Amino acid sequence: QVQLQESGPGLVKPSQTLSLTCTVSGESITTNYYYWSWIRQAPGKGLEWMGAIDYSGSIYYSPSLKSRTSISRDTSKNQFTLQLSSVTPEDTAVYYCATSKGLITVATTKNLYDYWGQGTQVTVSS
């Protein structure tokens, strides 16, 4: 079974960069046809797909967040990362990493993805 675990600071100040790491076990992030996504859910809002990195290292971003989102990976550690710059309180959310076989660019239901991390709360506040 694939397991994913998010880690990173739970509190970020406005204008700074939010940085999270997803550590994957049970499957290599380079295994063919797997996509590794970042998804978030703000209070009272639905799931929002942010972006993904695939098995080959190709990166995909939500158009609404592309300008300030950066996704990367460290294959030696079987990890992929999220950086969201210039954060505001509206970026406060539970942040998840998740995986799917094929690219899914919507996140209206968790059933669309094969495995999820437990989620980590990130609060943007001064």
PDB file of all heavy atoms in Angstrom, residues 64-97:
ATOM      1  N   SER A  64      -4.894  29.026 -11.751  1.00  0.00           N
ATOM      2  CA  SER A  64      -5.147  30.054 -10.751  1.00  0.00           C
ATOM      3  C   SER A  64      -3.997  30.235  -9.772  1.00  0.00           C
ATOM      4  O   SER A  64      -3.931  31.258  -9.086  1.00  0.00           O
ATOM      5  CB  SER A  64      -6.435  29.738  -9.983  1.00  0.00           C
ATOM      6  OG  SER A  64      -6.303  28.548  -9.233  1.00  0.00           O
ATOM      7  N   LEU A  65      -3.101  29.285  -9.691  1.00  0.00           N
ATOM      8  CA  LEU A  65      -2.009  29.328  -8.733  1.00  0.00           C
ATOM      9  C   LEU A  65      -0.631  29.268  -9.374  1.00  0.00           C
ATOM     10  O   LEU A  65       0.376  29.372  -8.669  1.00  0.00           O
ATOM     11  CB  LEU A  65      -2.135  28.182  -7.729  1.00  0.00           C
ATOM     12  CG  LEU A  65      -3.364  28.209  -6.818  1.00  0.00           C
ATOM     13  CD1 LEU A  65      -3.496  26.883  -6.081  1.00  0.00           C
ATOM     14  CD2 LEU A  65      -3.262  29.356  -5.833  1.00  0.00           C
ATOM     15  N   LYS A  66      -0.571  29.104 -10.677  1.00  0.00           N
ATOM     16  CA  LYS A  66       0.693  28.853 -11.359  1.00  0.00           C
ATOM     17  C   LYS A  66       1.738  29.920 -11.085  1.00  0.00           C
ATOM     18  O   LYS A  66       2.929  29.614 -10.946  1.00  0.00           O
ATOM     19  CB  LYS A  66       0.450  28.719 -12.859  1.00  0.00           C
ATOM     20  CG  LYS A  66       1.699  28.390 -13.659  1.00  0.00           C
ATOM     21  CD  LYS A  66       1.378  28.171 -15.124  1.00  0.00           C
ATOM     22  CE  LYS A  66       2.619  27.808 -15.911  1.00  0.00           C
ATOM     23  NZ  LYS A  66       2.306  27.561 -17.341  1.00  0.00           N
ATOM     24  N   SER A  67       1.314  31.167 -11.004  1.00  0.00           N
ATOM     25  CA  SER A  67       2.271  32.255 -10.896  1.00  0.00           C
ATOM     26  C   SER A  67       3.073  32.223  -9.603  1.00  0.00           C
ATOM     27  O   SER A  67       4.152  32.816  -9.532  1.00  0.00           O
ATOM     28  CB  SER A  67       1.560  33.601 -11.025  1.00  0.00           C
ATOM     29  OG  SER A  67       0.671  33.813  -9.949  1.00  0.00           O
ATOM     30  N   ARG A  68       2.573  31.563  -8.588  1.00  0.00           N
ATOM     31  CA  ARG A  68       3.277  31.553  -7.316  1.00  0.00           C
ATOM     32  C   ARG A  68       3.464  30.150  -6.735  1.00  0.00           C
ATOM     33  O   ARG A  68       3.742  30.003  -5.551  1.00  0.00           O
ATOM     34  CB  ARG A  68       2.586  32.467  -6.307  1.00  0.00           C
ATOM     35  CG  ARG A  68       1.149  32.156  -6.009  1.00  0.00           C
ATOM     36  CD  ARG A  68       0.509  33.320  -5.235  1.00  0.00           C
ATOM     37  NE  ARG A  68      -0.843  32.981  -4.807  1.00  0.00           N
ATOM     38  CZ  ARG A  68      -1.165  32.553  -3.596  1.00  0.00           C
ATOM     39  NH1 ARG A  68      -0.230  32.422  -2.667  1.00  0.00           N
ATOM     40  NH2 ARG A  68      -2.423  32.278  -3.302  1.00  0.00           N
ATOM     41  N   THR A  69       3.330  29.132  -7.560  1.00  0.00           N
ATOM     42  CA  THR A  69       3.475  27.750  -7.124  1.00  0.00           C
ATOM     43  C   THR A  69       4.692  27.115  -7.772  1.00  0.00           C
ATOM     44  O   THR A  69       4.951  27.318  -8.962  1.00  0.00           O
ATOM     45  CB  THR A  69       2.229  26.924  -7.471  1.00  0.00           C
ATOM     46  OG1 THR A  69       1.074  27.536  -6.884  1.00  0.00           O
ATOM     47  CG2 THR A  69       2.353  25.496  -6.958  1.00  0.00           C
ATOM     48  N   SER A  70       5.423  26.344  -6.994  1.00  0.00           N
ATOM     49  CA  SER A  70       6.546  25.588  -7.512  1.00  0.00           C
ATOM     50  C   SER A  70       6.522  24.192  -6.906  1.00  0.00           C
ATOM     51  O   SER A  70       6.458  24.045  -5.686  1.00  0.00           O
ATOM     52  CB  SER A  70       7.870  26.276  -7.193  1.00  0.00           C
ATOM     53  OG  SER A  70       8.966  25.529  -7.689  1.00  0.00           O
ATOM     54  N   ILE A  71       6.555  23.196  -7.751  1.00  0.00           N
ATOM     55  CA  ILE A  71       6.581  21.797  -7.324  1.00  0.00           C
ATOM     56  C   ILE A  71       7.881  21.178  -7.811  1.00  0.00           C
ATOM     57  O   ILE A  71       8.307  21.402  -8.947  1.00  0.00           O
ATOM     58  CB  ILE A  71       5.361  21.025  -7.863  1.00  0.00           C
ATOM     59  CG1 ILE A  71       4.077  21.572  -7.232  1.00  0.00           C
ATOM     60  CG2 ILE A  71       5.488  19.528  -7.600  1.00  0.00           C
ATOM     61  CD1 ILE A  71       2.802  21.032  -7.844  1.00  0.00           C
ATOM     62  N   SER A  72       8.506  20.393  -6.959  1.00  0.00           N
ATOM     63  CA  SER A  72       9.746  19.731  -7.325  1.00  0.00           C
ATOM     64  C   SER A  72       9.798  18.371  -6.648  1.00  0.00           C
ATOM     65  O   SER A  72       8.885  18.000  -5.901  1.00  0.00           O
ATOM     66  CB  SER A  72      10.960  20.581  -6.944  1.00  0.00           C
ATOM     67  OG  SER A  72      11.003  20.804  -5.546  1.00  0.00           O
ATOM     68  N   ARG A  73      10.868  17.621  -6.912  1.00  0.00           N
ATOM     69  CA  ARG A  73      10.995  16.310  -6.291  1.00  0.00           C
ATOM     70  C   ARG A  73      12.449  15.996  -5.993  1.00  0.00           C
ATOM     71  O   ARG A  73      13.366  16.578  -6.571  1.00  0.00           O
ATOM     72  CB  ARG A  73      10.401  15.217  -7.182  1.00  0.00           C
ATOM     73  CG  ARG A  73      11.186  14.969  -8.470  1.00  0.00           C
ATOM     74  CD  ARG A  73      10.565  13.856  -9.285  1.00  0.00           C
ATOM     75  NE  ARG A  73      11.354  13.551 -10.477  1.00  0.00           N
ATOM     76  CZ  ARG A  73      11.094  12.564 -11.320  1.00  0.00           C
ATOM     77  NH1 ARG A  73      10.040  11.776 -11.108  1.00  0.00           N
ATOM     78  NH2 ARG A  73      11.867  12.366 -12.373  1.00  0.00           N
ATOM     79  N   ASP A  74      12.633  15.080  -5.062  1.00  0.00           N
ATOM     80  CA  ASP A  74      13.942  14.541  -4.736  1.00  0.00           C
ATOM     81  C   ASP A  74      13.792  13.029  -4.816  1.00  0.00           C
ATOM     82  O   ASP A  74      13.288  12.397  -3.887  1.00  0.00           O
ATOM     83  CB  ASP A  74      14.384  14.992  -3.346  1.00  0.00           C
ATOM     84  CG  ASP A  74      15.790  14.533  -3.003  1.00  0.00           C
ATOM     85  OD1 ASP A  74      16.287  13.569  -3.612  1.00  0.00           O
ATOM     86  OD2 ASP A  74      16.406  15.145  -2.110  1.00  0.00           O
ATOM     87  N   THR A  75      14.205  12.460  -5.920  1.00  0.00           N
ATOM     88  CA  THR A  75      13.992  11.033  -6.121  1.00  0.00           C
ATOM     89  C   THR A  75      14.823  10.185  -5.166  1.00  0.00           C
ATOM     90  O   THR A  75      14.427   9.065  -4.831  1.00  0.00           O
ATOM     91  CB  THR A  75      14.292  10.635  -7.570  1.00  0.00           C
ATOM     92  OG1 THR A  75      15.640  10.989  -7.906  1.00  0.00           O
ATOM     93  CG2 THR A  75      13.334  11.336  -8.524  1.00  0.00           C
ATOM     94  N   SER A  76      15.965  10.699  -4.720  1.00  0.00           N
ATOM     95  CA  SER A  76      16.791   9.942  -3.793  1.00  0.00           C
ATOM     96  C   SER A  76      16.112   9.762  -2.442  1.00  0.00           C
ATOM     97  O   SER A  76      16.390   8.798  -1.725  1.00  0.00           O
ATOM     98  CB  SER A  76      18.154  10.604  -3.618  1.00  0.00           C
ATOM     99  OG  SER A  76      18.056  11.826  -2.915  1.00  0.00           O
ATOM    100  N   LYS A  77      15.229  10.683  -2.096  1.00  0.00           N
ATOM    101  CA  LYS A  77      14.489  10.598  -0.839  1.00  0.00           C
ATOM    102  C   LYS A  77      13.047  10.156  -1.041  1.00  0.00           C
ATOM    103  O   LYS A  77      12.306  10.029  -0.064  1.00  0.00           O
ATOM    104  CB  LYS A  77      14.504  11.951  -0.136  1.00  0.00           C
ATOM    105  CG  LYS A  77      15.888  12.416   0.284  1.00  0.00           C
ATOM    106  CD  LYS A  77      15.816  13.770   0.975  1.00  0.00           C
ATOM    107  CE  LYS A  77      17.179  14.244   1.414  1.00  0.00           C
ATOM    108  NZ  LYS A  77      17.121  15.572   2.077  1.00  0.00           N
ATOM    109  N   ASN A  78      12.657   9.941  -2.289  1.00  0.00           N
ATOM    110  CA  ASN A  78      11.275   9.594  -2.627  1.00  0.00           C
ATOM    111  C   ASN A  78      10.299  10.624  -2.054  1.00  0.00           C
ATOM    112  O   ASN A  78       9.287  10.287  -1.431  1.00  0.00           O
ATOM    113  CB  ASN A  78      10.918   8.187  -2.146  1.00  0.00           C
ATOM    114  CG  ASN A  78       9.942   7.490  -3.085  1.00  0.00           C
ATOM    115  OD1 ASN A  78      10.054   7.610  -4.310  1.00  0.00           O
ATOM    116  ND2 ASN A  78       8.985   6.760  -2.531  1.00  0.00           N
ATOM    117  N   GLN A  79      10.622  11.886  -2.298  1.00  0.00           N
ATOM    118  CA  GLN A  79       9.826  12.990  -1.800  1.00  0.00           C
ATOM    119  C   GLN A  79       9.491  13.956  -2.925  1.00  0.00           C
ATOM    120  O   GLN A  79      10.260  14.093  -3.878  1.00  0.00           O
ATOM    121  CB  GLN A  79      10.579  13.764  -0.718  1.00  0.00           C
ATOM    122  CG  GLN A  79      10.872  12.980   0.547  1.00  0.00           C
ATOM    123  CD  GLN A  79      11.709  13.775   1.521  1.00  0.00           C
ATOM    124  OE1 GLN A  79      12.513  14.621   1.122  1.00  0.00           O
ATOM    125  NE2 GLN A  79      11.525  13.507   2.811  1.00  0.00           N
ATOM    126  N   PHE A  80       8.371  14.628  -2.797  1.00  0.00           N
ATOM    127  CA  PHE A  80       8.100  15.775  -3.646  1.00  0.00           C
ATOM    128  C   PHE A  80       7.618  16.922  -2.776  1.00  0.00           C
ATOM    129  O   PHE A  80       7.114  16.712  -1.669  1.00  0.00           O
ATOM    130  CB  PHE A  80       7.138  15.443  -4.795  1.00  0.00           C
ATOM    131  CG  PHE A  80       5.741  15.033  -4.390  1.00  0.00           C
ATOM    132  CD1 PHE A  80       4.685  15.921  -4.520  1.00  0.00           C
ATOM    133  CD2 PHE A  80       5.471  13.751  -3.930  1.00  0.00           C
ATOM    134  CE1 PHE A  80       3.387  15.542  -4.200  1.00  0.00           C
ATOM    135  CE2 PHE A  80       4.179  13.366  -3.599  1.00  0.00           C
ATOM    136  CZ  PHE A  80       3.135  14.263  -3.736  1.00  0.00           C
ATOM    137  N   THR A  81       7.806  18.139  -3.289  1.00  0.00           N
ATOM    138  CA  THR A  81       7.645  19.319  -2.463  1.00  0.00           C
ATOM    139  C   THR A  81       6.701  20.322  -3.104  1.00  0.00           C
ATOM    140  O   THR A  81       6.455  20.304  -4.308  1.00  0.00           O
ATOM    141  CB  THR A  81       8.991  20.008  -2.206  1.00  0.00           C
ATOM    142  OG1 THR A  81       9.539  20.467  -3.445  1.00  0.00           O
ATOM    143  CG2 THR A  81       9.969  19.044  -1.558  1.00  0.00           C
ATOM    144  N   LEU A  82       6.188  21.193  -2.263  1.00  0.00           N
ATOM    145  CA  LEU A  82       5.343  22.304  -2.689  1.00  0.00           C
ATOM    146  C   LEU A  82       5.899  23.591  -2.104  1.00  0.00           C
ATOM    147  O   LEU A  82       6.196  23.647  -0.908  1.00  0.00           O
ATOM    148  CB  LEU A  82       3.907  22.103  -2.204  1.00  0.00           C
ATOM    149  CG  LEU A  82       2.953  23.297  -2.369  1.00  0.00           C
ATOM    150  CD1 LEU A  82       2.609  23.490  -3.844  1.00  0.00           C
ATOM    151  CD2 LEU A  82       1.690  23.100  -1.536  1.00  0.00           C
ATOM    152  N   GLN A  83       6.025  24.597  -2.937  1.00  0.00           N
ATOM    153  CA  GLN A  83       6.324  25.936  -2.475  1.00  0.00           C
ATOM    154  C   GLN A  83       5.265  26.880  -3.023  1.00  0.00           C
ATOM    155  O   GLN A  83       5.019  26.904  -4.229  1.00  0.00           O
ATOM    156  CB  GLN A  83       7.713  26.384  -2.912  1.00  0.00           C
ATOM    157  CG  GLN A  83       8.840  25.601  -2.255  1.00  0.00           C
ATOM    158  CD  GLN A  83      10.203  26.178  -2.572  1.00  0.00           C
ATOM    159  OE1 GLN A  83      10.476  26.559  -3.703  1.00  0.00           O
ATOM    160  NE2 GLN A  83      11.059  26.250  -1.572  1.00  0.00           N
ATOM    161  N   LEU A  84       4.652  27.634  -2.144  1.00  0.00           N
ATOM    162  CA  LEU A  84       3.643  28.616  -2.512  1.00  0.00           C
ATOM    163  C   LEU A  84       4.109  29.956  -1.982  1.00  0.00           C
ATOM    164  O   LEU A  84       4.182  30.162  -0.767  1.00  0.00           O
ATOM    165  CB  LEU A  84       2.285  28.232  -1.926  1.00  0.00           C
ATOM    166  CG  LEU A  84       1.102  29.137  -2.278  1.00  0.00           C
ATOM    167  CD1 LEU A  84       0.773  29.036  -3.763  1.00  0.00           C
ATOM    168  CD2 LEU A  84      -0.116  28.774  -1.435  1.00  0.00           C
ATOM    169  N   SER A  85       4.433  30.846  -2.870  1.00  0.00           N
ATOM    170  CA  SER A  85       5.019  32.126  -2.489  1.00  0.00           C
ATOM    171  C   SER A  85       3.946  33.174  -2.234  1.00  0.00           C
ATOM    172  O   SER A  85       2.781  33.020  -2.601  1.00  0.00           O
ATOM    173  CB  SER A  85       5.986  32.605  -3.568  1.00  0.00           C
ATOM    174  OG  SER A  85       5.302  32.901  -4.766  1.00  0.00           O
ATOM    175  N   SER A  86       4.368  34.266  -1.613  1.00  0.00           N
ATOM    176  CA  SER A  86       3.513  35.434  -1.389  1.00  0.00           C
ATOM    177  C   SER A  86       2.171  35.069  -0.776  1.00  0.00           C
ATOM    178  O   SER A  86       1.109  35.498  -1.241  1.00  0.00           O
ATOM    179  CB  SER A  86       3.316  36.188  -2.714  1.00  0.00           C
ATOM    180  OG  SER A  86       4.552  36.572  -3.274  1.00  0.00           O
ATOM    181  N   VAL A  87       2.204  34.300   0.272  1.00  0.00           N
ATOM    182  CA  VAL A  87       0.958  33.795   0.844  1.00  0.00           C
ATOM    183  C   VAL A  87       0.189  34.901   1.555  1.00  0.00           C
ATOM    184  O   VAL A  87       0.756  35.896   2.026  1.00  0.00           O
ATOM    185  CB  VAL A  87       1.205  32.621   1.801  1.00  0.00           C
ATOM    186  CG1 VAL A  87       1.844  31.462   1.053  1.00  0.00           C
ATOM    187  CG2 VAL A  87       2.052  33.046   2.988  1.00  0.00           C
ATOM    188  N   THR A  88      -1.118  34.715   1.599  1.00  0.00           N
ATOM    189  CA  THR A  88      -2.041  35.583   2.311  1.00  0.00           C
ATOM    190  C   THR A  88      -2.895  34.721   3.227  1.00  0.00           C
ATOM    191  O   THR A  88      -2.876  33.488   3.138  1.00  0.00           O
ATOM    192  CB  THR A  88      -2.948  36.348   1.340  1.00  0.00           C
ATOM    193  OG1 THR A  88      -3.924  35.456   0.786  1.00  0.00           O
ATOM    194  CG2 THR A  88      -2.144  36.980   0.219  1.00  0.00           C
ATOM    195  N   PRO A  89      -3.675  35.339   4.120  1.00  0.00           N
ATOM    196  CA  PRO A  89      -4.564  34.528   4.959  1.00  0.00           C
ATOM    197  C   PRO A  89      -5.524  33.639   4.172  1.00  0.00           C
ATOM    198  O   PRO A  89      -5.978  32.619   4.706  1.00  0.00           O
ATOM    199  CB  PRO A  89      -5.315  35.578   5.779  1.00  0.00           C
ATOM    200  CG  PRO A  89      -4.343  36.701   5.894  1.00  0.00           C
ATOM    201  CD  PRO A  89      -3.640  36.739   4.566  1.00  0.00           C
ATOM    202  N   GLU A  90      -5.820  34.007   2.927  1.00  0.00           N
ATOM    203  CA  GLU A  90      -6.699  33.177   2.101  1.00  0.00           C
ATOM    204  C   GLU A  90      -6.063  31.854   1.711  1.00  0.00           C
ATOM    205  O   GLU A  90      -6.753  30.964   1.206  1.00  0.00           O
ATOM    206  CB  GLU A  90      -7.123  33.947   0.847  1.00  0.00           C
ATOM    207  CG  GLU A  90      -8.161  35.049   1.104  1.00  0.00           C
ATOM    208  CD  GLU A  90      -7.602  36.198   1.930  1.00  0.00           C
ATOM    209  OE1 GLU A  90      -6.485  36.670   1.623  1.00  0.00           O
ATOM    210  OE2 GLU A  90      -8.285  36.625   2.880  1.00  0.00           O
ATOM    211  N   ASP A  91      -4.767  31.713   1.924  1.00  0.00           N
ATOM    212  CA  ASP A  91      -4.088  30.452   1.672  1.00  0.00           C
ATOM    213  C   ASP A  91      -4.161  29.501   2.863  1.00  0.00           C
ATOM    214  O   ASP A  91      -3.655  28.375   2.780  1.00  0.00           O
ATOM    215  CB  ASP A  91      -2.630  30.697   1.297  1.00  0.00           C
ATOM    216  CG  ASP A  91      -2.480  31.408  -0.030  1.00  0.00           C
ATOM    217  OD1 ASP A  91      -3.108  30.954  -1.018  1.00  0.00           O
ATOM    218  OD2 ASP A  91      -1.741  32.418  -0.088  1.00  0.00           O
ATOM    219  N   THR A  92      -4.748  29.942   3.958  1.00  0.00           N
ATOM    220  CA  THR A  92      -4.952  29.056   5.098  1.00  0.00           C
ATOM    221  C   THR A  92      -5.831  27.881   4.684  1.00  0.00           C
ATOM    222  O   THR A  92      -6.923  28.068   4.142  1.00  0.00           O
ATOM    223  CB  THR A  92      -5.598  29.815   6.259  1.00  0.00           C
ATOM    224  OG1 THR A  92      -4.683  30.802   6.756  1.00  0.00           O
ATOM    225  CG2 THR A  92      -5.959  28.874   7.402  1.00  0.00           C
ATOM    226  N   ALA A  93      -5.351  26.675   4.922  1.00  0.00           N
ATOM    227  CA  ALA A  93      -6.066  25.491   4.460  1.00  0.00           C
ATOM    228  C   ALA A  93      -5.412  24.249   5.039  1.00  0.00           C
ATOM    229  O   ALA A  93      -4.313  24.302   5.601  1.00  0.00           O
ATOM    230  CB  ALA A  93      -6.055  25.406   2.930  1.00  0.00           C
ATOM    231  N   VAL A  94      -6.097  23.137   4.880  1.00  0.00           N
ATOM    232  CA  VAL A  94      -5.469  21.840   5.061  1.00  0.00           C
ATOM    233  C   VAL A  94      -4.857  21.449   3.726  1.00  0.00           C
ATOM    234  O   VAL A  94      -5.546  21.458   2.695  1.00  0.00           O
ATOM    235  CB  VAL A  94      -6.475  20.772   5.534  1.00  0.00           C
ATOM    236  CG1 VAL A  94      -5.799  19.409   5.636  1.00  0.00           C
ATOM    237  CG2 VAL A  94      -7.065  21.168   6.885  1.00  0.00           C
ATOM    238  N   TYR A  95      -3.594  21.127   3.731  1.00  0.00           N
ATOM    239  CA  TYR A  95      -2.870  20.775   2.519  1.00  0.00           C
ATOM    240  C   TYR A  95      -2.627  19.272   2.490  1.00  0.00           C
ATOM    241  O   TYR A  95      -2.165  18.686   3.473  1.00  0.00           O
ATOM    242  CB  TYR A  95      -1.547  21.528   2.443  1.00  0.00           C
ATOM    243  CG  TYR A  95      -1.714  22.977   2.077  1.00  0.00           C
ATOM    244  CD1 TYR A  95      -2.179  23.896   3.016  1.00  0.00           C
ATOM    245  CD2 TYR A  95      -1.424  23.433   0.794  1.00  0.00           C
ATOM    246  CE1 TYR A  95      -2.355  25.225   2.683  1.00  0.00           C
ATOM    247  CE2 TYR A  95      -1.595  24.766   0.454  1.00  0.00           C
ATOM    248  CZ  TYR A  95      -2.060  25.661   1.397  1.00  0.00           C
ATOM    249  OH  TYR A  95      -2.233  26.983   1.059  1.00  0.00           O
ATOM    250  N   TYR A  96      -2.936  18.678   1.359  1.00  0.00           N
ATOM    251  CA  TYR A  96      -2.791  17.245   1.170  1.00  0.00           C
ATOM    252  C   TYR A  96      -1.852  16.946   0.006  1.00  0.00           C
ATOM    253  O   TYR A  96      -1.817  17.682  -0.979  1.00  0.00           O
ATOM    254  CB  TYR A  96      -4.125  16.591   0.808  1.00  0.00           C
ATOM    255  CG  TYR A  96      -5.229  16.716   1.822  1.00  0.00           C
ATOM    256  CD1 TYR A  96      -6.140  17.767   1.755  1.00  0.00           C
ATOM    257  CD2 TYR A  96      -5.390  15.760   2.816  1.00  0.00           C
ATOM    258  CE1 TYR A  96      -7.179  17.869   2.667  1.00  0.00           C
ATOM    259  CE2 TYR A  96      -6.427  15.855   3.729  1.00  0.00           C
ATOM    260  CZ  TYR A  96      -7.318  16.913   3.649  1.00  0.00           C
ATOM    261  OH  TYR A  96      -8.350  17.002   4.553  1.00  0.00           O
ATOM    262  N   CYS A  97      -1.142  15.848   0.106  1.00  0.00           N
ATOM    263  CA  CYS A  97      -0.564  15.247  -1.076  1.00  0.00           C
ATOM    264  C   CYS A  97      -1.345  13.977  -1.399  1.00  0.00           C
ATOM    265  O   CYS A  97      -1.904  13.326  -0.513  1.00  0.00           O
ATOM    266  CB  CYS A  97       0.933  14.963  -0.933  1.00  0.00           C
ATOM    267  SG  CYS A  97       1.480  14.042   0.522  1.00  0.00           S
TER     268      CYS A  97
END
